[in-house]
Amino acid sequence: MDRRKTISRRRVLAVGTAGIVGAALPMAGQSPDQAARPKVPADPTKVQGPLSTGVGGRSPFEQPRRVSLSDRRTSSQTPLQDLDGIITPSDLHFERHHGGVPAIDPRQHTLLIHGMVDRPLVFTVDDLRRFPGRSVIRMMECSGNGGRIYRREGNQTDLTPQQIDGLTSTSEWTGVPLATLFREAGASPKAKWFLAEGSDAAVMTRSIPIEKAYDDAMIAYGQNGEPLRPEQGYPIRLFLPGVEGNASIKWLRRIELADQPFMTREETSKYTDPLPDGTARIFSLDMDAKSLITEPAFPDKLTGPGWWEVRGIAWSGRGKIARVDLSTDGGKTWQPAKLDDPVLPKCHTRFRLPFEWKGGEATLMSRATDETGYTQPTLDVLMAARGPATAYHFNHIRGWKVFADGTVKFAGGA
């Protein structure tokens, strides 16, 4: 699509919601979009630029923002349509909390590990940083991501990728493997589960199978090269790659080992999936394979027939993405997309494919398959398996309709 046109349309939306520094009423001969643009010298080679600063900032022409879809503001979503590559800037990583963001002094904060261990231990943040650490690039997704389109709320078409699936992000996480701390505490071989508890006002608590601790769980203190941000769990959080986001307990203060799950409030009143036959899925922790086209998508507009590139992201909580197929005719035919390096396990993977738009209507879809052989289902297949009352794990295929005038609208779950 015409990138300049895309930016212009998004700038208009930004003006409508947040405003822009330097925005003014249009002058004679100016469009509102032209008037809203930040002021710059006519020839930047003739003007001395500003000097270096302690903290960098974005160009005033770029205004990506997280958005919250509820007045309660317990979450805010990543602007997936405004990002390139796979790393989400820390200030745009989605946030979700149940009791607000606590204020914590890292010098006072500790982590207790107890229960079925030989030596109950208390770690300060500095203690944790002395252990051998590691950094990994992995995605995180809220288990409720995409729920509004599963329930077909109002059959809305003016929805951006951010409004549909913005509760997923990818970061480089740095911390100490949880297995290291379990060995330090002398974890009992009879322990089968561990409880993670946060320091927030909700005292968010989840039970996790012990195998995850010895696989790839970590106590994270860094994100994208800097300390965790407060809304991401500062000063330390549990990070469980590929697992629904709520289990990666933020502001972590306690871990207890046991031989059975703890059946906390969060895993009985919430985060349990009712099924059509009257039973329920519980501890459905792994996130399923999923994909999303981020360009072209609402509010983009194709400016003329010809070649355009369809771009998006795919991910799976069970490993690497093996392939992504794209359809331009509403799912009648599919062709494989190119996957950009790096293709990492439990991580966003960028895909792309040239699309020749002939000026008529077209419906774009993407379909991911992970290395386990699992393929993203249609909405009908997912609805038949999970029923209408489920509240989590919405990974069905999504569609975007391109109209003859080039406008792009969300076409619902396919």
Side-chain angles (χ1 to χ4, degrees):
M1 79 216 64
D2 186 326
R3 183 64 177 171
R4 292 169 300 174
K5 183 73 172 180
T6 301
I7 291 173
S8 174
R9 288 172 59 80
R10 288 171 182 160
R11 185 74 61 250
V12 171
L13 290 181
V15 170
T17 56
I20 290 178
V21 174
L25 293 174
M27 300 174 63
Q30 280 188 324
S31 68
D33 181 52
Q34 289 172 320
R37 287 177 172 272
K39 302 300 183 291
V40 297
D43 183 353
T45 68
K46 306 301 183 186
V47 180
Q48 175 67 45
L51 302 180
S52 64
T53 59
V55 178
R58 292 185 175 84
S59 162
F61 289 92
E62 303 298 332
Q63 300 284 327
R65 290 286 186 275
R66 293 187 299 215
V67 297
S68 183
L69 301 182
S70 108
D71 293 339
R72 295 183 300 155
R73 299 189 65 82
T74 57
S75 66
S76 60
Q77 299 180 274
T78 295
L80 299 172
Q81 69 280 353
D82 295 328
L83 303 182
D84 294 311
I86 58 174
I87 298 294
T88 306
S90 294
D91 61 350
L92 296 178
H93 190 289
F94 81 88
E95 63 176 320
R96 173 79 174 97
H97 34 75
H98 293 222
V101 178
I104 296 176
D105 182 343
R107 295 167 298 183
Q108 304 296 322
H109 190 75
T110 59
L111 169 64
L112 166 66
I113 296 182
H114 68 132
M116 297 180 67
V117 299
D118 294 335
R119 299 173 294 280
L121 296 174
V122 176
F123 301 95
T124 66
V125 177
D126 285 342
D127 290 338
L128 294 172
R129 296 184 70 95
R130 291 181 59 184
F131 283 94
R134 64 177 306 214
S135 294
V136 296
I137 299 175
R138 298 289 185 268
M139 66 86 183
M140 181 180 292
E141 182 180 19
C142 173
S143 58
N145 197 28
R148 65 186 303 178
I149 65 169
Y150 181 82
R151 295 185 289 270
R152 298 186 175 97
E153 292 178 357
N155 292 320
Q156 300 176 70
T157 60
D158 291 356
L159 294 175
T160 66
Q162 177 178 26
Q163 293 169 314
I164 294 167
D165 275 323
L167 293 175
T168 184
S169 305
T170 283
S171 291
E172 181 188 42
W173 303 93
T174 301
V176 55
L178 184 54
T180 300
L181 303 183
F182 278 10
R183 284 192 288 270
E184 187 77 3
S188 169
K190 296 181 180 178
K192 302 301 180 187
W193 293 78
F194 69 92
L195 180 81
E197 180 182 274
S199 301
D200 55 327
V203 192
M204 182 70 182
T205 312
R206 289 299 312 263
S207 303
I208 311 298
I210 200 81
E211 293 82 4
K212 189 64 177 175
Y214 293 108
D215 181 11
D216 55 1
M218 73 159 55
I219 306 301
Y221 45 74
Q223 182 180 9
N224 295 335
E226 63 179 7
L228 296 176
R229 297 199 173 205
E231 69 270 24
Q232 299 302 330
Y234 182 84
I236 56 171
R237 73 176 301 168
L238 178 64
F239 178 57
L240 306 172
V243 167
E244 59 185 35
N246 66 80
S248 288
I249 298 294
K250 296 188 280 190
W251 316 291
L252 184 68
R253 70 175 185 179
R254 186 171 73 91
I255 289 178
E256 181 177 356
L257 283 69
D259 57 3
Q260 58 186 340
F262 290 77
M263 307 305 287
T264 69
R265 174 190 61 194
E266 303 298 340
E267 51 211 24
T268 53
S269 67
K270 304 181 182 72
Y271 303 120
T272 293
D273 310 323
L275 298 174
D277 63 1
T279 63
R281 296 199 312 161
I282 192 168
F283 300 115
S284 51
L285 296 170
D286 291 339
M287 300 306 294
D288 301 308
K290 188 172 178 180
S291 66
L292 176 72
I293 293 171
T294 56
E295 298 179 63
F298 178 80
D300 293 333
K301 182 174 183 178
L302 307 188
T303 52
W307 288 99
W308 302 84
E309 188 171 67
V310 179
R311 304 165 182 159
I313 51 174
W315 61 96
S316 171
R318 295 188 173 86
K320 295 181 181 178
I321 288 296
R323 62 180 292 149
V324 176
D325 295 305
L326 290 181
S327 175
T328 59
D329 55 12
K332 296 176 183 175
T333 61
W334 298 85
Q335 51 186 322
K338 176 183 178 297
L339 304 183
D340 284 358
D341 289 331
V343 179
L344 300 173
K346 305 173 185 177
C347 188
H348 286 174
T349 296
R350 181 67 61 174
F351 66 81
R352 57 186 75 237
L353 185 73
F355 160 52
E356 185 178 15
W357 182 52
K358 298 182 178 178
E361 292 189 351
T363 300
L364 310 178
M365 296 178 178
S366 62
R367 183 180 65 188
T369 299
D370 68 21
E371 63 180 340
T372 72
Y374 175 88
T375 297
Q376 190 177 357
T378 64
L379 177 57
D380 288 342
V381 169
L382 188 65
M383 185 73 77
R386 304 276 179 78
T390 191
Y392 307 106
H393 297 266
F394 308 107
N395 71 316
H396 55 279
I397 296 169
R398 288 95 165 94
W400 299 94
K401 186 168 183 178
V402 181
F403 290 85
D405 67 354
T407 58
V408 183
K409 301 277 189 177
F410 181 59

